[in-house]
């Protein structure tokens, strides 16, 4: 399960085109796991424009590409905000159930399944955004993105190994 979540995050973080749209979803998909591992999500995602500019520079996006990517993301703004609000609210409800002190397995499963449905909608939204932004990137930028994906997969493998080692 961690690998699927992490791959979704990778796709979002990797593309400057997807960074703005992806950071919020990546953070939410990561859910409480990242917070428990000390990942400072609020600080990391607090300055989305700075992150966008940083990734855009790493990928070597032209001013025109940056403008096109921002336009795509802004055109999905209401959907993005709705997705964020839905996931935050549902995760808070689930967290409260988990922390309640008693285990209502049926209700916890129900809330978790509902989050899964919302995340599926988020994945479809990210796929639509990706399909609109991917053509904006040139071959060199796509190659940089692929290299970044490989590097992040390695880091996620290391994270999983660390957790496995700790649990022994």
């Amino acid at each position: 399960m961690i690998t699927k979540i992490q791959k979704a995050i990778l796709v979002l973080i990797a593309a400057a085109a997807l960074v703005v749209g992806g950071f919020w979803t990546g953070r939410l998909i990561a859910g409480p796991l990242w917070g428990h591992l000390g990942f400072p999500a609020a600080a990391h995602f607090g300055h989305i424009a700075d992150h966008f500019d940083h990734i855009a520079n790493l990928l070597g996006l032209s001013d025109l590409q940056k403008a096109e990517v921002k336009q795509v993301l802004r055109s999905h703004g209401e959907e993005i905000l709705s997705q964020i609000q839905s996931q935050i609210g549902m995760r808070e409800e689930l967290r409260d159930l988990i922390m309640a002190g008693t285990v209502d397995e049926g209700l916890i499963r129900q809330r978790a399944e509902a989050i899964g449905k919302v995340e599926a909608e988020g994945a479809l939204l990210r796929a639509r955004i990706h399909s609109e932004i991917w053509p904006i990137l040139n071959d060199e930028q796509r190659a940089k993105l692929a290299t970044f994906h490989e590097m992040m997969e390695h880091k996620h493998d290391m994270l999983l190994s660390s957790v496995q080692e700790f649990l022994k």
Side-chain angles (χ1 to χ4, degrees):
M1 186 68 173
I2 292 173
T3 303
K4 289 181 182 179
I5 292 170
Q6 291 170 341
K7 285 185 180 180
I9 293 170
L10 290 176
V11 170
L12 299 172
I13 293 174
L18 298 177
V19 155
V20 174
F23 271 136
W24 59 265
T25 309
R27 162 58 184 101
L28 294 172
I29 287 175
L33 172 64
W34 286 109
H36 290 285
L37 294 175
F39 182 69
H44 188 68
F45 299 107
H47 305 285
I48 206 76
D50 293 338
H51 291 289
F52 176 83
D53 289 337
H54 178 70
I55 298 299
N57 290 335
L58 288 175
L59 289 176
L61 295 182
S62 69
D63 289 341
L64 178 60
Q65 286 176 309
K66 289 178 191 177
E68 290 175 342
V69 167
K70 286 180 182 179
Q71 180 55 41
V72 168
L73 294 169
R74 287 179 178 138
S75 75
H76 292 280
E78 288 184 30
E79 294 170 281
I80 292 169
L81 290 173
S82 175
Q83 186 62 220
I84 292 169
Q85 291 167 340
S86 294
Q87 287 194 22
I88 287 173
M90 295 180 94
R91 286 198 177 281
E92 287 174 351
E93 288 177 19
L94 180 59
R95 182 200 62 229
D96 291 346
L97 282 171
I98 291 168
M99 302 304 287
T102 59
V103 178
D104 185 336
E105 189 172 327
L107 192 52
I108 290 171
R109 286 182 187 278
Q110 180 185 33
R111 292 289 197 274
E113 288 172 4
I115 290 171
K117 289 177 184 175
V118 170
E119 288 181 358
E121 292 301 316
L124 291 169
L125 174 59
R126 289 188 314 278
R128 287 193 302 272
I129 291 169
H130 180 270
S131 72
E132 292 176 40
I133 291 174
W134 192 250
I136 296 170
L137 304 176
N138 64 36
D139 290 339
E140 182 181 337
Q141 293 161 336
R142 291 178 188 148
K144 287 179 184 178
L145 203 52
T147 301
F148 184 78
H149 284 235
E150 290 171 12
M151 183 177 68
M152 291 305 294
E153 284 183 27
H154 176 70
K155 286 184 178 185
H156 292 143
D157 290 342
M158 289 175 27
L159 171 65
L160 183 57
S161 295
S162 294
V163 171
Q164 289 171 330
E165 184 65 29
F166 173 78
L167 294 174
K168 286 184 181 177

